């Protein structure tokens, strides 16, 4: 359907207002309009609303939805696909932490990490993702193994997936000042992002100050995992916002999870959201992973909450909000394939990204692109790269009711071959 070379024009494309900045068009109540997209030399030459008849050689998409390629801002492709050899024994967060730690210590050689990462990236690419940030477990000695693998992988995938990485360690790891300074230097050398997992330790404020000091010293953006728990006393999101304000931090900060916020009393929530907005933090919810891990008390109870954080309340205050894949087929989440359409579909159901849809589609494209400093990604605009996905669906209900396994992914104007890797490729890594 999409020509493999040259210039062409797609007619009757259904575009969403939130992802086509600057397009003046009569958008309907669902935020859609019909338009034509002209593609030339791998770029979008122009987007026009039909007012005149399209040329005879235009490709009529008959109202199919076209979205920009996805941006997945929170993943763990160093952990991905270890499930067959290291399942989570009970589905809990602690079960995940312990199982992953044991697997990392025993099995995460450079080759093991590289092969699983490449598998994950091939899946993400086939589903239509063009940029992805992964966290890298960076507790010694893993940082010396995984960061070089990441640098090689980023080169290998350049032009297909823009790959970013953030280091990942429990906040207590920051207490070893010398080692943490060395890690920050290593992250800076790889042009990475400084990340830690925050939870309520007695010296949290002091440790956060050290994290901010290293980020400022090395010019790094920050990426936190915060409060991935139902414990109402977990307020590290607020502590991060406060630390950002009093340190005068000017880089980007992305905070993931923030599950406990949804369990706290309104006054506490309002105070935290005020500070998060003032500090300019962006928040990413991981709806599939949080639904899986949170409120799992034992195997004989039914979960009673959804695990996600307060994205609607955040967005209403102007806080940048995103959703992302998080873990795939590892002890933190037994499923998943880095398909951001699946993430958006699940987010729509779990987080109510509907009635109205409003500008929620930004949460899988334009907003994470801004947080990751990817100019021109996550939107469709004249002059931008012709990176987009053509779906069968012509409305939200059609788009989000089927897996859209036959979507067409176009990169630099050309339809890519969408080959998902075979699970059997990883079998030899799963034995023993
Ligand atoms: Zn995560």
């Amino acid at each position: 359907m999409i020509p493999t070379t040259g210039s062409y024009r797609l007619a009757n494309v259904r575009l969403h207002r939130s992802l086509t900045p600057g397009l003046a068009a009569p958008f309907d109540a669902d935020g859609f309009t019909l338009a034509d997209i002209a593609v030339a030399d791998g770029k979008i030459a122009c987007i026009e609303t039909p007012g005149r008849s399209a040329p005879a050689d235009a490709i009529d998409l008959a109202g199919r939805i076209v979205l920009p390629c996805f941006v997945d801002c929170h993943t763990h492709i160093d952990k991905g696909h270890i499930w067959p050899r290291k399942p989570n024994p009970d589905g809990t967060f602690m079960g995940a932490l312990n199982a992953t730690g044991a697997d990392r210590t025993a099995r995460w050689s450079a080759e093991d990490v590289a092969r699983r990462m490449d598998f994950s990236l091939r899946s993400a690419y086939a589903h239509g993702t063009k940029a992805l940030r992964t966290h890298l477990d960076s507790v010694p000695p893993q940082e010396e193994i995984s960061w070089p693998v990441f640098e090689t992988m980023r080169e290998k995938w350049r032009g297909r997936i823009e790959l970013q990485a953030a280091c990942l360690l429990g906040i207590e790891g920051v207490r070893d000042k010398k080692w943490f300074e060395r890690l920050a230097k290593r992250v800076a050398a790889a042009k990475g992002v400084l990340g830690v997992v925050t939870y309520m330790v007695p010296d949290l404020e002091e440790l956060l100050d050290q994290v901010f000091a290293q980020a400022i010293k090395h010019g790094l953006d920050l990426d936190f995992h915060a409060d991935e728990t139902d414990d109402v006393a977990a307020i590290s999101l607020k502590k991060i916002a406060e630390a950002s304000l009093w340190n005068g931090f000017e880089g980007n900060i992305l905070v993931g999870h923030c599950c406990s916020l949804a369990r706290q009393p309104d006054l506490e929530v309002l105070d935290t959201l005020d500070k998060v907005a003032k500090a300019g933090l962006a928040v990413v919810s991981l709806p599939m992973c949080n639904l899986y891990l949170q409120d799992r008390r034992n195997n004989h109870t039914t979960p009673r909450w959804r695990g996600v954080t307060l994205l609607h309340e955040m967005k209403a205050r102007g806080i940048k909000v995103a959703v992302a894949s998080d873990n795939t087929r590892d002890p933190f989440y037994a499923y998943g394939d880095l398909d951001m359409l699946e993430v958006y579909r699940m987010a729509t159901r779990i987080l109510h990204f509907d009635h109205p849809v409003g500008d929620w589609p930004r949460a899988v494209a334009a907003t994470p692109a801004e947080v990751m400093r990817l100019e021109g990604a996550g939107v469709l605009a004249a002059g931008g790269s012709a990176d987009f996905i053509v779906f069968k669906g012509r409305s939200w209900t059609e788009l989000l009711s089927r897996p859209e396994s036959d979507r067409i992914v176009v990169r630099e104007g050309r339809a890519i071959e969408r080959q998902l890797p075979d699970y059997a490729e990883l079998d030899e890594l799963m034995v023993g």
Side-chain angles (χ1 to χ4, degrees):
M1 174 189 278
I2 305 290
T4 51
T5 53
S7 305
Y8 55 90
R9 189 179 184 93
L10 304 176
N12 289 313
V13 174
R14 198 174 302 271
L15 299 177
H16 199 259
R17 173 169 41 198
S18 68
L19 300 174
T20 50
L23 182 64
F27 292 98
D28 64 20
D30 283 331
F32 284 122
T33 193
L34 288 176
D36 292 359
I37 299 179
V39 171
D41 301 326
K43 291 197 181 314
I44 295 174
C46 67
I47 302 176
E48 292 172 334
T49 48
R52 55 188 184 77
S53 54
D57 60 349
I59 301 152
D60 188 356
L61 287 190
R64 292 176 177 206
I65 292 170
V66 170
L67 298 178
C69 282
F70 297 121
V71 178
D72 201 346
C73 67
H74 183 130
T75 71
H76 296 263
I77 61 173
D78 59 340
K79 294 186 174 80
H81 301 283
I82 65 172
W83 182 274
R85 71 185 188 205
K86 203 65 179 173
N88 185 329
D90 57 6
T92 63
F93 186 85
M94 282 316 291
L97 207 59
N98 294 333
T100 304
D103 191 73
R104 182 179 60 238
T105 310
R107 310 283 297 255
W108 290 21
S109 64
E111 195 207 340
D112 177 71
V113 173
R115 285 183 58 184
R116 290 184 292 98
M117 271 191 178
D118 193 66
F119 187 97
S120 288
L121 290 169
R122 280 185 281 154
S123 304
Y125 181 67
H127 290 307
T129 288
K130 71 175 268 181
L132 179 147
R133 178 181 290 179
T134 183
H135 296 265
L136 295 177
D137 278 23
S138 294
V139 290
Q142 195 61 45
E143 80 279 31
E144 289 169 19
I145 300 167
S146 291
W147 280 88
V149 171
F150 156 71
E151 288 170 307
T152 306
M153 209 56 72
R154 180 174 52 188
E155 278 312 307
K156 184 179 170 188
W157 278 86
R158 198 177 290 284
R160 290 179 291 163
I161 291 184
E162 183 73 30
L163 188 57
Q164 295 186 356
C167 60
L168 186 70
L169 58 137
I171 184 74
E172 286 143 309
V174 178
R175 285 184 191 140
D176 185 343
K177 282 188 189 175
K178 278 202 175 127
W179 174 80
F180 186 64
E181 161 113 51
R182 268 207 312 280
L183 179 66
K185 267 192 200 151
R186 179 67 185 89
V187 170
K191 297 190 169 52
V193 173
L194 195 63
V196 296
V197 186
T198 57
Y199 33 83
M200 302 311 289
V201 291
D203 51 348
L204 178 60
E205 293 179 0
E206 191 188 322
L207 296 174
L208 280 174
D209 279 348
Q210 288 187 44
V211 173
F212 277 88
Q214 289 301 323
I216 289 166
K217 183 171 174 186
H218 297 286
L220 298 168
D221 283 342
L222 287 165
D223 192 323
F224 294 94
H225 280 67
D227 308 322
E228 196 172 354
T229 170
D230 64 353
D231 179 1
V232 293
I235 54 163
S236 72
L237 172 62
K238 184 192 305 202
K239 297 290 178 190
I240 292 165
E242 288 172 350
S244 176
L245 291 168
W246 76 55
N247 283 286
F249 188 69
E250 289 175 353
N252 285 357
I253 303 176
L254 178 60
V255 189
H257 300 291
C258 314
C259 306
S260 64
L261 191 69
R263 310 280 282 169
Q264 290 163 356
D266 285 353
L267 281 179
E268 181 79 32
V269 168
L270 293 176
D271 182 44
T272 298
L273 293 187
D274 282 345
K275 286 171 174 157
V276 169
K278 194 170 171 200
L281 270 48
V283 173
V284 58
S285 183
L286 299 310
M288 302 190 315
C289 196
N290 287 156
L291 188 75
Y292 176 83
L293 282 177
Q294 298 302 310
D295 209 13
R296 196 188 282 270
R297 282 159 282 181
N298 57 55
N299 290 330
H300 314 292
T301 57
T302 305
R304 298 184 194 187
W305 70 296
R306 302 182 184 208
V308 288
T309 194
L310 304 181
L311 285 203
H312 286 265
E313 292 78 356
M314 291 174 178
K315 189 154 79 68
R317 280 167 187 257
I319 297 166
K320 287 180 182 173
V321 293
V323 289
S325 290
D326 211 10
N327 299 72
T328 44
R329 300 186 65 246
D330 69 36
F332 287 89
Y333 185 52
Y335 318 105
D337 200 31
L338 297 170
D339 176 1
M340 287 295 281
L341 181 67
E342 185 193 14
V343 173
Y344 190 77
R345 184 194 312 122
M346 292 292 277
T348 295
R349 293 165 190 178
I350 299 167
L351 281 149
H352 291 176
F353 281 3
D354 50 12
H355 323 311
V357 169
D359 62 355
W360 282 114
R362 287 178 54 85
V364 290
T367 302
E370 284 172 16
V371 174
M372 290 170 66
R373 301 180 185 269
L374 304 169
E375 188 120 2
V379 293
L380 294 173
S385 189
D387 296 334
F388 52 78
I389 311 167
V390 180
F391 295 99
K392 279 271 167 68
R394 299 163 302 166
S395 59
W396 289 115
T397 177
E398 288 183 1
L399 180 72
L400 299 178
S401 297
R402 286 184 179 164
E404 291 271 1
S405 309
D406 49 358
R407 73 191 77 163
I408 299 166
V409 176
V410 176
R411 297 297 304 276
E412 295 186 345
R414 295 168 193 209
I416 64 163
E417 207 176 325
R418 293 190 53 240
Q419 189 69 42
L420 286 171
D422 194 320
Y423 290 130
E425 282 183 32
L426 298 176
D427 285 352
E428 62 177 319
L429 298 178
M430 298 300 136
V431 290

